[in-house]
C-alpha cells in the first residue's frame, strides 16, 4: 500500500444535539452545534492529531467516527467505505478495524469484570457471532500476550480494575482496543487523566505499538506538548470547526490562524529567559455558545486581527500551500 493512502476521511461532519423545553409537552427550541462541518483525512500509518480547547467538539467528533454518536450530516469513509451506508451486520464487521481508547481509565472499565475478561470480551463477542474463529484457549493466550505487550503482568488477569493504578487501567484499555487487530485506533485524550510522570510512559507505549502493529492513530488532546510529541500532522479545532491543518513542524514554527497562534503562545517554554521575553496573545471575551447560530467567522469576536469582512461570512478551509490548510480571510483563497 502507498504511504499516502487515505484510511479515514471525514467530509462535512455535523453533530447537533437538540435543546428541548417544557416538562410535559416538550418542544424543540434549538440545537447545540457540537460539530459543525468538519473535514479532514488520516493517512495510513500516521498519527493525526486533533487539538483544541475543552468543549470545541473533539470528543464528539471521535464518537461520531467510531459510530457511537449519530451525525446530523456529513460522511465518514473508512478504507473507502462510507460507514453511514453500512448495514448493522456490515458495521459490526467494519468495527473490528477501528477501536477507541477512552479518556478516563476509571470509568471506561467495567468494575465488576476482571482485567483478563475486559481484554478478552471483544474476542469472545466476535467469536460467538462467528465473525472471528478462535477457541477459548486461543482467546486466553492472546489476552495474556496483549497484557504483557502493554506492560502488564499476565498474573494480573484475575484482578479487578480498582486494584490497578490509573496508568495500569489505561494499559488495560489499550490492550482491549488492540484485541481485534484494528487498523485505526482513536485515542480520545488517553493521557489527560494521568499523572505527568505516567503520561510519557503511555505515549511511548503507544508509539511502540504503532510501529509493532502497523497502527494508524487519530489522537485527540488539548495539551499541545503531547500532540507535538506524538503526531506527525495536526488539525486545530475551534467551536466545532477545523481552522488549520498542517504537519507538526510547520504548525509549531509557522502557525497561520490567529487562534492557533494564541494557543501556541500559551504553551510554557522550559527556558526562563525565552519565557520572559516572548509575547503572549491574550484572547478577549469567551468562547461563544455552540447553541447560537453565528453569522460570519466564529472566532471573530475574540480575534485580534478581525476585519469587517469576518462578520459577513465564514471563511472556508483552503490550502495556502501544499499540505497547509487554514480557514481565515487573512490568507489567499478566502
Amino acid at each position: 500500500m502507498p504511504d499516502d493512502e487515505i484510511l479515514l476521511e471525514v467530509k462535512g461532519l455535523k453533530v447537533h444535539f437538540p435543546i428541548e423545553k417544557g416538562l410535559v409537552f416538550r418542544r424543540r427550541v434549538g440545537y447545540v452545534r457540537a460539530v459543525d462541518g468538519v473535514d479532514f483525512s488520516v493517512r495510513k500509518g500516521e498519527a493525526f492529531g486533533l487539538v483544541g480547547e475543552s468543549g470545541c467538539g473533539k470528543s464528539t467528533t471521535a464518537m461520531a467516527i467510531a459510530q457511537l454518536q449519530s451525525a446530523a450530516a456529513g460522511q465518514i469513509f473508512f478504507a473507502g467505505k462510507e460507514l453511514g451506508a453500512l448495514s448493522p451486520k456490515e458495521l459490526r464487521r467494519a468495527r473490528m478495524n477501528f477501536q477507541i481508547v477512552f479518556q478516563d481509565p476509571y470509568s471506561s472499565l467495567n468494575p465488576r469484570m476482571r482485567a483478563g475478561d475486559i481484554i478478552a470480551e471483544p474476542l469472545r463477542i466476535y467469536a460467538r457471532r462467528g465473525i472471528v474463529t478462535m477457541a477459548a484457549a486461543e482467546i486466553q493466550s492472546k489476552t495474556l500476550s496483549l497484557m504483557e505487550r502493554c506492560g502488564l503482568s499476565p498474573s494480573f488477569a484475575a484482578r479487578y480494575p480498582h486494584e490497578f493504578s490509573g496508568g495500569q487501567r489505561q494499559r488495560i484499555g489499550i490492550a482491549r482496543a488492540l484485541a481485534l487487530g484494528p487498523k485505526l485506533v482513536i485515542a480520545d485524550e488517553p493521557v489527560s487523566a494521568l499523572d505527568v510522570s505516567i503520561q510519557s510512559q503511555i505515549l511511548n507505549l503507544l508509539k511502540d505499538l504503532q510501529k509493532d502493529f502497523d497502527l494508524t492513530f487519530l489522537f485527540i488532546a488539548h495539551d499541545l506538548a503531547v500532540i507535538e510529541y506524538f503526531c506527525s500532522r495536526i488539525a486545530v479545532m475551534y467551536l466545532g470547526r477545523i481552522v488549520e491543518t498542517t504537519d507538526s513542524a510547520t504548525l509549531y514554527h509557522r502557525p497561520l490562524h490567529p487562534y492557533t497562534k494564541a494557543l501556541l503562545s500559551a504553551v510554557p517554554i522550559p527556558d526562563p529567559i525565552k519565557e520572559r521575553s516572548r509575547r503572549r496573545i491574550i484572547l478577549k471575551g469567551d468562547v461563544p455558545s455552540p447553541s447560537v447560530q453565528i453569522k460570519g467567522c466564529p472566532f471573530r469576536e475574540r480575534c485580534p486581527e478581525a476585519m469587517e469582512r469576518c462578520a459577513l461570512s465564514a471563511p472556508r478551509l483552503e490550502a495556502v500551500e501544499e499540505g497547509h490548510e487554514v480557514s481565515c480571510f487573512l490568507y489567499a483563497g478566502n
Side-chain angles (χ1 to χ4, degrees):
M1 292 183 176
D3 293 338
D4 60 351
E5 179 184 349
I6 301 299
L7 182 65
L8 174 70
E9 187 172 14
V10 179
K11 294 183 177 181
L13 180 65
K14 295 185 179 184
V15 181
H16 297 170
F17 298 102
I19 303 172
E20 297 181 337
K21 285 188 177 180
L23 295 175
V24 180
F25 300 103
R26 299 188 66 78
R27 55 193 176 88
R28 190 166 297 173
V29 296
Y31 291 91
V32 174
R33 295 169 176 81
V35 180
D36 202 23
V38 163
D39 298 272
F40 65 87
S41 59
V42 182
R43 302 179 189 126
K44 184 182 181 298
E46 77 172 342
F48 183 87
L50 192 58
V51 66
E53 58 194 319
S54 297
C56 71
K58 305 184 301 296
S59 293
T60 305
T61 300
M63 290 298 190
I65 291 170
Q67 301 298 292
L68 299 175
Q69 174 63 55
S70 299
Q75 296 172 298
I76 300 166
F77 295 90
F78 182 83
K81 294 183 179 180
E82 185 183 353
L83 296 181
L86 299 180
S87 68
K89 184 177 180 180
E90 291 171 329
L91 183 58
R92 276 195 296 272
R93 283 188 173 274
R95 272 208 172 101
M96 292 180 63
N97 294 312
F98 54 89
Q99 294 289 304
I100 188 166
V101 177
F102 296 96
Q103 175 179 356
D104 187 1
Y106 297 92
S107 61
S108 62
L109 304 179
N110 188 333
R112 297 183 179 182
M113 292 180 67
R114 300 177 191 271
D117 292 329
I118 290 172
I119 298 169
E121 186 180 28
L123 291 168
R124 289 171 179 161
I125 290 172
Y126 274 70
R128 275 200 307 269
R129 290 175 173 169
I131 300 175
V132 298
T133 305
M134 293 185 76
E138 292 177 289
I139 292 174
Q140 177 72 2
S141 176
K142 184 165 185 177
T143 297
L144 299 179
S145 175
L146 282 170
M147 289 188 71
E148 190 169 14
R149 184 62 193 84
C150 291
L152 295 166
S153 171
S155 63
F156 294 168
R159 294 187 182 184
Y160 289 94
H162 72 270
E163 300 179 76
F164 293 94
S165 67
Q168 288 174 322
R169 292 180 198 182
Q170 196 61 291
R171 290 174 189 270
I172 295 171
I174 293 167
R176 175 179 60 185
L178 297 179
L180 292 170
K183 297 176 182 176
L184 171 72
V185 173
I186 302 168
D188 184 13
E189 306 225 29
V191 298
S192 63
L194 305 177
D195 294 339
V196 175
S197 59
I198 305 299
Q199 288 185 8
S200 60
Q201 296 177 20
I202 298 298
L203 289 172
N204 288 331
L205 170 65
L206 292 174
K207 271 185 170 289
D208 290 342
L209 293 172
Q210 182 182 19
K211 189 183 301 180
D212 294 347
F213 291 92
D214 192 24
L215 296 172
T216 302
F217 274 93
L218 172 58
F219 194 95
I220 294 167
H222 63 268
D223 189 327
L224 287 158
V226 169
I227 285 283
E228 181 183 20
Y229 174 75
F230 192 79
C231 300
S232 54
R233 280 199 310 134
I234 301 169
V236 180
M237 199 167 181
Y238 180 79
L239 204 63
R241 303 179 189 184
I242 301 291
V243 297
E244 187 166 0
T245 303
T246 187
D247 63 88
S248 179
T250 302
L251 188 84
Y252 282 84
H253 295 100
R254 195 162 50 84
L256 295 181
H257 198 280
Y259 177 64
T260 308
K261 293 177 182 177
L263 280 181
L264 290 171
S265 78
V267 178
I269 297 176
D271 187 333
I273 297 175
K274 290 182 179 179
E275 177 68 27
R276 285 194 297 268
S277 62
R278 72 168 174 164
R279 185 176 70 90
R280 289 285 302 275
I281 300 174
I282 308 298
L283 297 177
K284 59 185 179 181
D286 298 318
V287 180
S289 170
S291 63
V292 177
Q293 182 73 53
I294 297 173
K295 183 181 178 181
C297 175
F299 186 61
R300 74 179 188 279
E301 293 182 0
R302 306 178 71 196
C303 181
E305 302 181 63
M307 305 175 286
E308 288 185 13
R309 182 183 179 186
C310 302
L312 302 177
S313 60
R316 299 182 302 275
L317 185 67
E318 294 191 348
V320 294
E321 59 186 14
E322 187 176 355
H324 197 164
E325 296 178 315
V326 65
S327 172
C328 184
F329 288 126
L330 292 171
Y331 304 99
N334 270 294

